Amino acid sequence: MCYNMPDMKRMMIVTAGPTREHLDPVRFLSNPSTGKMGFALAAAGAAAGFDVRLVAGPVALATPKGVKRTDIVSAREMLVAVRALLREATDGLKPVFIATAAVADWRPARIAAHKLKKAEMSGTLHLVRNPDILKSVHGAVKVGFAAETDRVLAEAARKCREKKLAFIVANDITKPGTGFGTETNRVTLVFPDGRTVAWPLMTKRRVATRIVRTIADLEM
């Protein structure tokens, strides 16, 4: 599989899996993301000739062939890793950044150094916002994912505009065969001009291949 990539490989950075935002050494805020979609995209990007760098949260998946992987835990660690990789990008070739990770929007305001005992916990958890990684990254062709439960296309379109994306991949995680942990996905691509392209239910591997093909066809 080759999409006529230039002799010098373009970097593709893919984030995958969840982040964990620790309250103490044994408790954390997170979500059910398994990283399957992001890892499928990393594999598809490598097969298409990109120099793929995978930034993965805590997942139980093997690194795809030809992919360089960085493991992180928290949202802030993920942002640091992505920015470091962007600084490595080859001059003259704008990197591609695909944000598939399910990044926690909030984190505990304080991380305890020891396991908190019941007597130490008030029942109120104070949270602060995590950085919006996709919105804060510049100098890349950006592709996002929007996993939604309602107003799916409207929310995806809003995020696409606000985060200045090449396009966003929207999916309704309440539908059968979609969402966290599944082997399949049903997505709609939403572009900044309002155009949408809906794809039928297919394996995440097939979805990834078609997304990479769409990226390769962009004027970058």
Side-chain angles (χ1 to χ4, degrees):
M1 178 170 49
C2 180
Y3 304 137
N4 298 318
M5 296 301 296
D7 292 338
M8 187 176 295
K9 287 187 175 183
R10 185 186 301 274
M11 182 183 288
M12 174 184 285
I13 302 168
V14 181
T15 62
T19 63
R20 290 179 180 175
E21 309 300 331
H22 276 270
L23 174 62
D24 63 24
V26 299
R27 302 181 181 94
F28 53 82
L29 303 178
S30 192
N31 58 72
S33 175
T34 60
K36 290 180 179 179
M37 190 70 250
F39 274 62
L41 275 161
F50 286 89
D51 174 16
V52 181
R53 311 300 181 91
L54 176 62
V55 181
V59 297
L61 296 173
T63 306
K65 183 179 179 180
V67 172
K68 298 176 182 178
R69 175 174 171 176
T70 301
D71 289 306
I72 58 84
V73 175
S74 71
R76 287 178 292 176
E77 289 173 356
M78 181 170 281
L79 178 58
V80 169
V82 168
R83 285 178 170 167
L85 289 171
L86 286 171
R87 289 193 293 269
E88 294 181 22
T90 305
D91 290 342
L93 289 176
K94 183 179 287 189
V96 175
F97 176 43
I98 310 178
T100 69
V103 179
D105 294 321
W106 299 85
R107 68 180 186 271
R110 185 177 69 88
I111 303 174
H114 63 277
K115 180 183 175 182
L116 294 170
K117 306 300 187 289
K118 290 180 182 179
E120 298 177 279
M121 302 176 72
S122 67
T124 300
L125 183 59
H126 296 282
L127 303 175
V128 294
R129 271 198 177 277
N130 268 326
D132 186 322
I133 297 173
L134 187 55
K135 189 173 183 178
S136 65
V137 165
H138 305 286
V141 177
K142 301 193 294 184
V143 175
F145 272 68
E148 303 291 345
T149 60
D150 61 298
R151 301 185 69 250
V152 176
L153 295 185
E155 280 299 298
R158 178 186 64 80
K159 291 177 180 178
C160 188
R161 293 190 303 270
E162 289 182 0
K163 301 184 184 188
K164 296 179 171 58
L165 309 181
F167 62 89
I168 193 167
V169 183
N171 70 303
D172 184 342
I173 60 174
T174 68
K175 301 298 183 184
T178 67
F180 300 127
T182 63
E183 299 296 334
T184 56
N185 213 346
R186 186 193 305 272
V187 306
T188 299
L189 306 192
V190 180
F191 293 84
D193 60 5
R195 179 168 57 97
T196 62
V197 179
W199 292 342
L201 185 71
M202 63 184 81
T203 65
K204 287 182 175 177
R205 181 177 178 180
R206 180 62 179 157
V207 172
T209 298
R210 293 184 66 170
I211 289 172
V212 170
R213 184 179 296 129
T214 301
I215 291 169
D217 288 340
L218 294 174
E219 294 184 3
M220 297 188 288

